[in-house]
Amino acid sequence: MSATAHKKAPNAEDIRARKGTEPLVSLTAYTTPMARLMDAHCDFVLVGDSVGMVLHGLTSTLGVTMDMMIMHGQAVARGLDRAMMVIDMPFASYEHDPAQAFRNAARLMSETGAGAVKLEGGVEMAKTIRFLVKRGIPVMAHIGLTPQSINTLGGYKVQGRDKQADAVLADARAVAEAGAFSVVLEKVPQSLADQITSQIAIPTIGIGASAGCDGQILVVDDMLGFFTAFKPKFVKRYADLGPLAEAAIAEYATEVRARSFPADEHVFADQTPSNQTPSKGSKS
């Protein structure tokens, strides 16, 4: 096989098999151009319900719908060739019972081409995870801070400190035993994340957890500096593109008002007819 041969996108079992090996790399994506930028660098790309806050201006993820997830999932799929695509199940699309979860998970996968779905919850969602996995739906679990539950959690607080640690550990064990192929640990103490990682057989994906997790994920607009409404402690800004974009827009506005844009090189001249020699005997 040549060094330039096409690399097959990983599937859920490939991700599971990475437990304890080279860390898994993941980012969120909501659009085709962004998916293309990260495709060569990520093991899997998450179409996150964070799209509601990042692109649609919502104050939480609770207003995100199935139709929104499908639209953005289809867009991301067009930009991926090498990375696996995982898609979030939005709020109220899976909590009622396993049958509801299966209908909506099957729709998400069939209409977007996603390789797996992600859903929030631990012990209380184990039955649903088991139901989905047995019917061919790979599931990535999400425990710790679960943004769809902020109204019952009391906000975006660290989960698993002190007496809460046993409950989060129980959640991790429950989703692993139910058949999830990996689990996101969001905003949990480092020591607890390390304990979970060492005690369960599936990869842990950290976001505000520990470098000892089996992988990491960030919201791409956070790490690039496009989303500036707030910055969680666990986000490292690898670029600060928001101010650069605003400065470019301001310069464009200034040039338009000054009529210096478009310049000659940006407009089209009238078509010049080709020189033709009059035929012999014709009148000039």
mmCIF file of all heavy atoms in Angstrom, residues 197-248:
data_model
loop_
_atom_site.group_PDB
_atom_site.id
_atom_site.type_symbol
_atom_site.label_atom_id
_atom_site.label_comp_id
_atom_site.label_asym_id
_atom_site.label_seq_id
_atom_site.Cartn_x
_atom_site.Cartn_y
_atom_site.Cartn_z
ATOM 1 N N THR A 197 -10.938 6.615 34.156
ATOM 2 C CA THR A 197 -10.170 6.125 33.007
ATOM 3 C C THR A 197 -9.490 4.798 33.322
ATOM 4 O O THR A 197 -9.424 3.904 32.473
ATOM 5 C CB THR A 197 -9.131 7.176 32.579
ATOM 6 O OG1 THR A 197 -9.815 8.378 32.203
ATOM 7 C CG2 THR A 197 -8.303 6.690 31.396
ATOM 8 N N SER A 198 -9.010 4.651 34.527
ATOM 9 C CA SER A 198 -8.299 3.426 34.914
ATOM 10 C C SER A 198 -9.237 2.265 35.231
ATOM 11 O O SER A 198 -8.810 1.108 35.218
ATOM 12 C CB SER A 198 -7.402 3.699 36.114
ATOM 13 O OG SER A 198 -8.170 3.937 37.285
ATOM 14 N N GLN A 199 -10.514 2.571 35.491
ATOM 15 C CA GLN A 199 -11.418 1.530 35.980
ATOM 16 C C GLN A 199 -12.431 1.034 34.952
ATOM 17 O O GLN A 199 -13.091 0.026 35.202
ATOM 18 C CB GLN A 199 -12.155 2.012 37.231
ATOM 19 C CG GLN A 199 -11.247 2.162 38.437
ATOM 20 C CD GLN A 199 -12.023 2.443 39.716
ATOM 21 O OE1 GLN A 199 -13.239 2.295 39.778
ATOM 22 N NE2 GLN A 199 -11.308 2.853 40.753
ATOM 23 N N ILE A 200 -12.597 1.713 33.831
ATOM 24 C CA ILE A 200 -13.556 1.230 32.831
ATOM 25 C C ILE A 200 -12.817 0.828 31.562
ATOM 26 O O ILE A 200 -11.710 1.308 31.288
ATOM 27 C CB ILE A 200 -14.658 2.266 32.514
ATOM 28 C CG1 ILE A 200 -14.068 3.526 31.872
ATOM 29 C CG2 ILE A 200 -15.439 2.601 33.778
ATOM 30 C CD1 ILE A 200 -15.140 4.505 31.391
ATOM 31 N N ALA A 201 -13.443 -0.037 30.784
ATOM 32 C CA ALA A 201 -12.767 -0.661 29.644
ATOM 33 C C ALA A 201 -12.951 0.094 28.336
ATOM 34 O O ALA A 201 -12.476 -0.356 27.298
ATOM 35 C CB ALA A 201 -13.256 -2.097 29.486
ATOM 36 N N ILE A 202 -13.652 1.228 28.371
ATOM 37 C CA ILE A 202 -13.861 1.999 27.146
ATOM 38 C C ILE A 202 -13.126 3.323 27.251
ATOM 39 O O ILE A 202 -12.849 3.808 28.355
ATOM 40 C CB ILE A 202 -15.364 2.235 26.863
ATOM 41 C CG1 ILE A 202 -16.013 3.031 28.013
ATOM 42 C CG2 ILE A 202 -16.070 0.903 26.635
ATOM 43 C CD1 ILE A 202 -17.462 3.417 27.749
ATOM 44 N N PRO A 203 -12.796 3.948 26.114
ATOM 45 C CA PRO A 203 -12.071 5.212 26.152
ATOM 46 C C PRO A 203 -12.859 6.329 26.813
ATOM 47 O O PRO A 203 -14.077 6.453 26.623
ATOM 48 C CB PRO A 203 -11.819 5.527 24.671
ATOM 49 C CG PRO A 203 -11.911 4.215 23.976
ATOM 50 C CD PRO A 203 -12.950 3.448 24.738
ATOM 51 N N THR A 204 -12.164 7.137 27.593
ATOM 52 C CA THR A 204 -12.733 8.353 28.151
ATOM 53 C C THR A 204 -12.268 9.534 27.314
ATOM 54 O O THR A 204 -11.100 9.632 26.941
ATOM 55 C CB THR A 204 -12.291 8.555 29.609
ATOM 56 O OG1 THR A 204 -10.853 8.528 29.673
ATOM 57 C CG2 THR A 204 -12.853 7.453 30.503
ATOM 58 N N ILE A 205 -13.198 10.437 27.012
ATOM 59 C CA ILE A 205 -12.903 11.624 26.216
ATOM 60 C C ILE A 205 -13.098 12.829 27.119
ATOM 61 O O ILE A 205 -14.212 13.124 27.550
ATOM 62 C CB ILE A 205 -13.823 11.732 24.985
ATOM 63 C CG1 ILE A 205 -13.858 10.412 24.207
ATOM 64 C CG2 ILE A 205 -13.385 12.889 24.099
ATOM 65 C CD1 ILE A 205 -12.543 9.965 23.648
ATOM 66 N N GLY A 206 -12.031 13.527 27.439
ATOM 67 C CA GLY A 206 -12.097 14.613 28.395
ATOM 68 C C GLY A 206 -12.428 15.953 27.776
ATOM 69 O O GLY A 206 -11.974 16.281 26.685
ATOM 70 N N ILE A 207 -13.244 16.721 28.495
ATOM 71 C CA ILE A 207 -13.441 18.144 28.201
ATOM 72 C C ILE A 207 -13.589 18.818 29.563
ATOM 73 O O ILE A 207 -14.610 18.712 30.227
ATOM 74 C CB ILE A 207 -14.646 18.409 27.269
ATOM 75 C CG1 ILE A 207 -14.818 19.915 27.053
ATOM 76 C CG2 ILE A 207 -15.920 17.727 27.743
ATOM 77 C CD1 ILE A 207 -15.767 20.289 25.929
ATOM 78 N N GLY A 208 -12.524 19.436 30.017
ATOM 79 C CA GLY A 208 -12.483 19.935 31.377
ATOM 80 C C GLY A 208 -12.333 18.796 32.360
ATOM 81 O O GLY A 208 -12.957 18.797 33.424
ATOM 82 N N ALA A 209 -11.499 17.820 32.043
ATOM 83 C CA ALA A 209 -11.318 16.646 32.899
ATOM 84 C C ALA A 209 -9.833 16.455 33.214
ATOM 85 O O ALA A 209 -9.308 17.081 34.112
ATOM 86 C CB ALA A 209 -11.924 15.408 32.233
ATOM 87 N N SER A 210 -9.145 15.611 32.435
ATOM 88 C CA SER A 210 -7.739 15.314 32.736
ATOM 89 C C SER A 210 -6.985 14.985 31.468
ATOM 90 O O SER A 210 -7.543 14.389 30.537
ATOM 91 C CB SER A 210 -7.657 14.124 33.701
ATOM 92 O OG SER A 210 -6.337 13.637 33.802
ATOM 93 N N ALA A 211 -5.688 15.314 31.441
ATOM 94 C CA ALA A 211 -4.822 14.912 30.336
ATOM 95 C C ALA A 211 -4.634 13.405 30.313
ATOM 96 O O ALA A 211 -4.180 12.844 29.319
ATOM 97 C CB ALA A 211 -3.473 15.608 30.437
ATOM 98 N N GLY A 212 -4.976 12.743 31.417
ATOM 99 C CA GLY A 212 -4.876 11.294 31.479
ATOM 100 C C GLY A 212 -6.023 10.563 30.823
ATOM 101 O O GLY A 212 -5.995 9.331 30.737
ATOM 102 N N CYS A 213 -7.031 11.281 30.352
ATOM 103 C CA CYS A 213 -8.129 10.635 29.622
ATOM 104 C C CYS A 213 -7.594 10.022 28.332
ATOM 105 O O CYS A 213 -6.520 10.376 27.839
ATOM 106 C CB CYS A 213 -9.233 11.648 29.306
ATOM 107 S SG CYS A 213 -10.188 12.194 30.735
ATOM 108 N N ASP A 214 -8.384 9.118 27.753
ATOM 109 C CA ASP A 214 -7.965 8.444 26.523
ATOM 110 C C ASP A 214 -8.075 9.337 25.296
ATOM 111 O O ASP A 214 -7.630 8.952 24.208
ATOM 112 C CB ASP A 214 -8.812 7.187 26.315
ATOM 113 C CG ASP A 214 -8.594 6.171 27.418
ATOM 114 O OD1 ASP A 214 -7.456 5.687 27.559
ATOM 115 O OD2 ASP A 214 -9.560 5.862 28.155
ATOM 116 N N GLY A 215 -8.664 10.507 25.444
ATOM 117 C CA GLY A 215 -8.790 11.451 24.341
ATOM 118 C C GLY A 215 -9.294 12.785 24.853
ATOM 119 O O GLY A 215 -9.623 12.938 26.027
ATOM 120 N N GLN A 216 -9.358 13.765 23.956
ATOM 121 C CA GLN A 216 -9.819 15.103 24.315
ATOM 122 C C GLN A 216 -10.743 15.634 23.236
ATOM 123 O O GLN A 216 -10.632 15.280 22.059
ATOM 124 C CB GLN A 216 -8.638 16.063 24.478
ATOM 125 C CG GLN A 216 -7.624 15.671 25.529
ATOM 126 C CD GLN A 216 -8.160 15.721 26.934
ATOM 127 O OE1 GLN A 216 -9.015 16.554 27.263
ATOM 128 N NE2 GLN A 216 -7.659 14.825 27.800
ATOM 129 N N ILE A 217 -11.663 16.510 23.651
ATOM 130 C CA ILE A 217 -12.535 17.202 22.702
ATOM 131 C C ILE A 217 -12.718 18.637 23.154
ATOM 132 O O ILE A 217 -12.721 18.921 24.359
ATOM 133 C CB ILE A 217 -13.904 16.491 22.560
ATOM 134 C CG1 ILE A 217 -14.733 17.128 21.433
ATOM 135 C CG2 ILE A 217 -14.685 16.498 23.884
ATOM 136 C CD1 ILE A 217 -15.951 16.318 21.035
ATOM 137 N N LEU A 218 -12.815 19.554 22.208
ATOM 138 C CA LEU A 218 -13.154 20.945 22.477
ATOM 139 C C LEU A 218 -14.136 21.426 21.424
ATOM 140 O O LEU A 218 -14.200 20.870 20.314
ATOM 141 C CB LEU A 218 -11.917 21.848 22.443
ATOM 142 C CG LEU A 218 -10.959 21.811 23.640
ATOM 143 C CD1 LEU A 218 -9.748 22.694 23.360
ATOM 144 C CD2 LEU A 218 -11.656 22.248 24.924
ATOM 145 N N VAL A 219 -14.885 22.457 21.773
ATOM 146 C CA VAL A 219 -15.712 23.147 20.782
ATOM 147 C C VAL A 219 -14.777 23.980 19.917
ATOM 148 O O VAL A 219 -14.014 24.810 20.425
ATOM 149 C CB VAL A 219 -16.760 24.038 21.470
ATOM 150 C CG1 VAL A 219 -17.482 24.918 20.450
ATOM 151 C CG2 VAL A 219 -17.767 23.175 22.236
ATOM 152 N N VAL A 220 -14.806 23.755 18.613
ATOM 153 C CA VAL A 220 -13.813 24.370 17.737
ATOM 154 C C VAL A 220 -13.878 25.890 17.769
ATOM 155 O O VAL A 220 -12.851 26.568 17.723
ATOM 156 C CB VAL A 220 -13.944 23.823 16.295
ATOM 157 C CG1 VAL A 220 -15.217 24.319 15.616
ATOM 158 C CG2 VAL A 220 -12.714 24.173 15.478
ATOM 159 N N ASP A 221 -15.076 26.450 17.887
ATOM 160 C CA ASP A 221 -15.196 27.911 17.912
ATOM 161 C C ASP A 221 -14.618 28.493 19.196
ATOM 162 O O ASP A 221 -14.211 29.652 19.222
ATOM 163 C CB ASP A 221 -16.661 28.322 17.741
ATOM 164 C CG ASP A 221 -17.175 28.010 16.350
ATOM 165 O OD1 ASP A 221 -17.388 26.823 16.050
ATOM 166 O OD2 ASP A 221 -17.354 28.943 15.558
ATOM 167 N N ASP A 222 -14.593 27.697 20.268
ATOM 168 C CA ASP A 222 -13.927 28.119 21.502
ATOM 169 C C ASP A 222 -12.417 28.169 21.314
ATOM 170 O O ASP A 222 -11.765 29.161 21.641
ATOM 171 C CB ASP A 222 -14.245 27.149 22.642
ATOM 172 C CG ASP A 222 -15.633 27.341 23.231
ATOM 173 O OD1 ASP A 222 -16.242 28.407 22.994
ATOM 174 O OD2 ASP A 222 -16.104 26.422 23.920
ATOM 175 N N MET A 223 -11.847 27.097 20.798
ATOM 176 C CA MET A 223 -10.383 27.015 20.728
ATOM 177 C C MET A 223 -9.807 27.907 19.625
ATOM 178 O O MET A 223 -8.624 28.244 19.662
ATOM 179 C CB MET A 223 -9.916 25.559 20.563
ATOM 180 C CG MET A 223 -10.447 24.809 19.373
ATOM 181 S SD MET A 223 -9.434 24.967 17.893
ATOM 182 C CE MET A 223 -8.062 23.934 18.319
ATOM 183 N N LEU A 224 -10.634 28.327 18.674
ATOM 184 C CA LEU A 224 -10.165 29.245 17.640
ATOM 185 C C LEU A 224 -10.471 30.704 17.966
ATOM 186 O O LEU A 224 -10.045 31.604 17.242
ATOM 187 C CB LEU A 224 -10.790 28.890 16.287
ATOM 188 C CG LEU A 224 -10.326 27.586 15.644
ATOM 189 C CD1 LEU A 224 -11.056 27.355 14.319
ATOM 190 C CD2 LEU A 224 -8.825 27.575 15.422
ATOM 191 N N GLY A 225 -11.232 30.936 19.033
ATOM 192 C CA GLY A 225 -11.516 32.308 19.425
ATOM 193 C C GLY A 225 -12.626 32.969 18.643
ATOM 194 O O GLY A 225 -12.751 34.200 18.657
ATOM 195 N N PHE A 226 -13.469 32.184 17.965
ATOM 196 C CA PHE A 226 -14.617 32.760 17.265
ATOM 197 C C PHE A 226 -15.778 33.013 18.227
ATOM 198 O O PHE A 226 -16.495 33.995 18.102
ATOM 199 C CB PHE A 226 -15.090 31.825 16.145
ATOM 200 C CG PHE A 226 -14.281 31.911 14.896
ATOM 201 C CD1 PHE A 226 -13.683 30.781 14.361
ATOM 202 C CD2 PHE A 226 -14.115 33.109 14.230
ATOM 203 C CE1 PHE A 226 -12.926 30.847 13.196
ATOM 204 C CE2 PHE A 226 -13.364 33.199 13.063
ATOM 205 C CZ PHE A 226 -12.767 32.065 12.552
ATOM 206 N N PHE A 227 -15.991 32.087 19.178
ATOM 207 C CA PHE A 227 -17.067 32.243 20.159
ATOM 208 C C PHE A 227 -16.505 32.985 21.358
ATOM 209 O O PHE A 227 -15.618 32.494 22.055
ATOM 210 C CB PHE A 227 -17.609 30.873 20.579
ATOM 211 C CG PHE A 227 -18.793 30.964 21.514
ATOM 212 C CD1 PHE A 227 -20.037 31.323 21.038
ATOM 213 C CD2 PHE A 227 -18.645 30.696 22.860
ATOM 214 C CE1 PHE A 227 -21.133 31.414 21.891
ATOM 215 C CE2 PHE A 227 -19.727 30.787 23.728
ATOM 216 C CZ PHE A 227 -20.971 31.144 23.238
ATOM 217 N N THR A 228 -17.015 34.192 21.614
ATOM 218 C CA THR A 228 -16.427 35.044 22.648
ATOM 219 C C THR A 228 -17.418 35.452 23.729
ATOM 220 O O THR A 228 -17.110 36.286 24.571
ATOM 221 C CB THR A 228 -15.827 36.313 22.008
ATOM 222 O OG1 THR A 228 -16.856 36.995 21.266
ATOM 223 C CG2 THR A 228 -14.689 35.962 21.064
ATOM 224 N N ALA A 229 -18.639 34.869 23.713
ATOM 225 C CA ALA A 229 -19.632 35.227 24.728
ATOM 226 C C ALA A 229 -19.112 34.897 26.121
ATOM 227 O O ALA A 229 -19.361 35.627 27.075
ATOM 228 C CB ALA A 229 -20.938 34.494 24.452
ATOM 229 N N PHE A 230 -18.411 33.786 26.249
ATOM 230 C CA PHE A 230 -17.730 33.419 27.486
ATOM 231 C C PHE A 230 -16.660 32.394 27.151
ATOM 232 O O PHE A 230 -16.674 31.790 26.084
ATOM 233 C CB PHE A 230 -18.704 32.851 28.534
ATOM 234 C CG PHE A 230 -19.462 31.628 28.070
ATOM 235 C CD1 PHE A 230 -18.927 30.355 28.229
ATOM 236 C CD2 PHE A 230 -20.706 31.754 27.485
ATOM 237 C CE1 PHE A 230 -19.623 29.228 27.803
ATOM 238 C CE2 PHE A 230 -21.413 30.633 27.045
ATOM 239 C CZ PHE A 230 -20.869 29.376 27.219
ATOM 240 N N LYS A 231 -15.722 32.206 28.058
ATOM 241 C CA LYS A 231 -14.627 31.260 27.840
ATOM 242 C C LYS A 231 -14.507 30.353 29.057
ATOM 243 O O LYS A 231 -14.066 30.797 30.119
ATOM 244 C CB LYS A 231 -13.309 31.995 27.596
ATOM 245 C CG LYS A 231 -12.103 31.066 27.410
ATOM 246 C CD LYS A 231 -10.830 31.882 27.241
ATOM 247 C CE LYS A 231 -9.597 31.004 27.229
ATOM 248 N NZ LYS A 231 -9.369 30.341 28.550
ATOM 249 N N PRO A 232 -14.889 29.073 28.933
ATOM 250 C CA PRO A 232 -14.723 28.147 30.048
ATOM 251 C C PRO A 232 -13.253 27.994 30.427
ATOM 252 O O PRO A 232 -12.359 28.147 29.590
ATOM 253 C CB PRO A 232 -15.281 26.830 29.490
ATOM 254 C CG PRO A 232 -16.168 27.228 28.358
ATOM 255 C CD PRO A 232 -15.536 28.447 27.772
ATOM 256 N N LYS A 233 -12.994 27.694 31.694
ATOM 257 C CA LYS A 233 -11.622 27.522 32.174
ATOM 258 C C LYS A 233 -10.877 26.460 31.398
ATOM 259 O O LYS A 233 -9.671 26.566 31.164
ATOM 260 C CB LYS A 233 -11.638 27.166 33.663
ATOM 261 C CG LYS A 233 -10.245 26.902 34.237
ATOM 262 C CD LYS A 233 -10.295 26.477 35.694
ATOM 263 C CE LYS A 233 -8.899 26.192 36.217
ATOM 264 N NZ LYS A 233 -8.901 25.772 37.635
ATOM 265 N N PHE A 234 -11.592 25.403 30.974
ATOM 266 C CA PHE A 234 -10.920 24.270 30.341
ATOM 267 C C PHE A 234 -10.562 24.513 28.882
ATOM 268 O O PHE A 234 -9.967 23.653 28.230
ATOM 269 C CB PHE A 234 -11.764 22.991 30.464
ATOM 270 C CG PHE A 234 -13.166 23.100 29.913
ATOM 271 C CD1 PHE A 234 -13.417 23.066 28.550
ATOM 272 C CD2 PHE A 234 -14.248 23.200 30.772
ATOM 273 C CE1 PHE A 234 -14.699 23.150 28.047
ATOM 274 C CE2 PHE A 234 -15.548 23.274 30.289
ATOM 275 C CZ PHE A 234 -15.769 23.250 28.920
ATOM 276 N N VAL A 235 -10.922 25.664 28.340
ATOM 277 C CA VAL A 235 -10.634 25.961 26.937
ATOM 278 C C VAL A 235 -9.271 26.634 26.808
ATOM 279 O O VAL A 235 -8.981 27.606 27.504
ATOM 280 C CB VAL A 235 -11.717 26.860 26.324
ATOM 281 C CG1 VAL A 235 -11.273 27.358 24.936
ATOM 282 C CG2 VAL A 235 -13.038 26.121 26.215
ATOM 283 N N LYS A 236 -8.432 26.107 25.924
ATOM 284 C CA LYS A 236 -7.209 26.797 25.524
ATOM 285 C C LYS A 236 -7.456 27.413 24.155
ATOM 286 O O LYS A 236 -7.882 26.735 23.223
ATOM 287 C CB LYS A 236 -6.024 25.823 25.435
ATOM 288 C CG LYS A 236 -4.744 26.501 24.948
ATOM 289 C CD LYS A 236 -3.563 25.538 24.904
ATOM 290 C CE LYS A 236 -2.321 26.232 24.364
ATOM 291 N NZ LYS A 236 -1.139 25.337 24.335
ATOM 292 N N ARG A 237 -7.195 28.707 24.038
ATOM 293 C CA ARG A 237 -7.366 29.386 22.758
ATOM 294 C C ARG A 237 -6.092 29.190 21.936
ATOM 295 O O ARG A 237 -5.060 29.791 22.227
ATOM 296 C CB ARG A 237 -7.636 30.865 22.986
ATOM 297 C CG ARG A 237 -9.070 31.118 23.498
ATOM 298 C CD ARG A 237 -9.878 31.899 22.479
ATOM 299 N NE ARG A 237 -11.301 31.855 22.828
ATOM 300 C CZ ARG A 237 -11.929 32.781 23.541
ATOM 301 N NH1 ARG A 237 -11.260 33.800 23.993
ATOM 302 N NH2 ARG A 237 -13.218 32.664 23.780
ATOM 303 N N TYR A 238 -6.172 28.340 20.926
ATOM 304 C CA TYR A 238 -5.018 28.096 20.064
ATOM 305 C C TYR A 238 -4.867 29.188 19.008
ATOM 306 O O TYR A 238 -3.828 29.302 18.361
ATOM 307 C CB TYR A 238 -5.146 26.729 19.399
ATOM 308 C CG TYR A 238 -4.875 25.592 20.365
ATOM 309 C CD1 TYR A 238 -5.877 25.129 21.211
ATOM 310 C CD2 TYR A 238 -3.625 24.995 20.445
ATOM 311 C CE1 TYR A 238 -5.637 24.091 22.107
ATOM 312 C CE2 TYR A 238 -3.369 23.968 21.338
ATOM 313 C CZ TYR A 238 -4.385 23.526 22.160
ATOM 314 O OH TYR A 238 -4.135 22.510 23.063
ATOM 315 N N ALA A 239 -5.903 29.982 18.827
ATOM 316 C CA ALA A 239 -5.871 31.150 17.947
ATOM 317 C C ALA A 239 -6.927 32.115 18.464
ATOM 318 O O ALA A 239 -7.819 31.729 19.219
ATOM 319 C CB ALA A 239 -6.142 30.762 16.497
ATOM 320 N N ASP A 240 -6.819 33.369 18.081
ATOM 321 C CA ASP A 240 -7.791 34.379 18.493
ATOM 322 C C ASP A 240 -8.361 35.025 17.242
ATOM 323 O O ASP A 240 -8.118 36.192 16.943
ATOM 324 C CB ASP A 240 -7.109 35.416 19.394
ATOM 325 C CG ASP A 240 -8.106 36.152 20.275
ATOM 326 O OD1 ASP A 240 -9.270 35.714 20.353
ATOM 327 O OD2 ASP A 240 -7.721 37.161 20.893
ATOM 328 N N LEU A 241 -9.129 34.231 16.497
ATOM 329 C CA LEU A 241 -9.569 34.643 15.165
ATOM 330 C C LEU A 241 -10.757 35.590 15.183
ATOM 331 O O LEU A 241 -10.993 36.291 14.201
ATOM 332 C CB LEU A 241 -9.900 33.403 14.330
ATOM 333 C CG LEU A 241 -8.769 32.389 14.152
ATOM 334 C CD1 LEU A 241 -9.196 31.275 13.211
ATOM 335 C CD2 LEU A 241 -7.499 33.065 13.635
ATOM 336 N N GLY A 242 -11.496 35.623 16.273
ATOM 337 C CA GLY A 242 -12.647 36.515 16.343
ATOM 338 C C GLY A 242 -12.262 37.970 16.138
ATOM 339 O O GLY A 242 -12.810 38.650 15.253
ATOM 340 N N PRO A 243 -11.319 38.504 16.915
ATOM 341 C CA PRO A 243 -10.901 39.893 16.701
ATOM 342 C C PRO A 243 -10.301 40.139 15.322
ATOM 343 O O PRO A 243 -10.484 41.215 14.740
ATOM 344 C CB PRO A 243 -9.846 40.102 17.804
ATOM 345 C CG PRO A 243 -10.242 39.141 18.871
ATOM 346 C CD PRO A 243 -10.747 37.932 18.139
ATOM 347 N N LEU A 244 -9.576 39.154 14.788
ATOM 348 C CA LEU A 244 -9.019 39.316 13.436
ATOM 349 C C LEU A 244 -10.138 39.443 12.405
ATOM 350 O O LEU A 244 -10.071 40.275 11.493
ATOM 351 C CB LEU A 244 -8.127 38.117 13.087
ATOM 352 C CG LEU A 244 -6.786 38.025 13.802
ATOM 353 C CD1 LEU A 244 -6.070 36.730 13.412
ATOM 354 C CD2 LEU A 244 -5.911 39.228 13.468
ATOM 355 N N ALA A 245 -11.169 38.609 12.553
ATOM 356 C CA ALA A 245 -12.294 38.669 11.621
ATOM 357 C C ALA A 245 -13.022 40.002 11.740
ATOM 358 O O ALA A 245 -13.393 40.621 10.733
ATOM 359 C CB ALA A 245 -13.247 37.511 11.893
ATOM 360 N N GLU A 246 -13.224 40.471 12.964
ATOM 361 C CA GLU A 246 -13.914 41.753 13.155
ATOM 362 C C GLU A 246 -13.102 42.899 12.555
ATOM 363 O O GLU A 246 -13.664 43.816 11.939
ATOM 364 C CB GLU A 246 -14.174 42.005 14.630
ATOM 365 C CG GLU A 246 -14.988 43.268 14.875
ATOM 366 C CD GLU A 246 -15.332 43.477 16.331
ATOM 367 O OE1 GLU A 246 -14.849 42.701 17.182
ATOM 368 O OE2 GLU A 246 -16.079 44.433 16.621
ATOM 369 N N ALA A 247 -11.783 42.850 12.717
ATOM 370 C CA ALA A 247 -10.933 43.895 12.150
ATOM 371 C C ALA A 247 -11.013 43.900 10.625
ATOM 372 O O ALA A 247 -11.048 44.964 9.995
ATOM 373 C CB ALA A 247 -9.488 43.697 12.604
ATOM 374 N N ALA A 248 -11.041 42.719 10.034
ATOM 375 C CA ALA A 248 -11.158 42.626 8.573
ATOM 376 C C ALA A 248 -12.494 43.179 8.095
ATOM 377 O O ALA A 248 -12.569 43.884 7.080
ATOM 378 C CB ALA A 248 -10.987 41.172 8.133
#
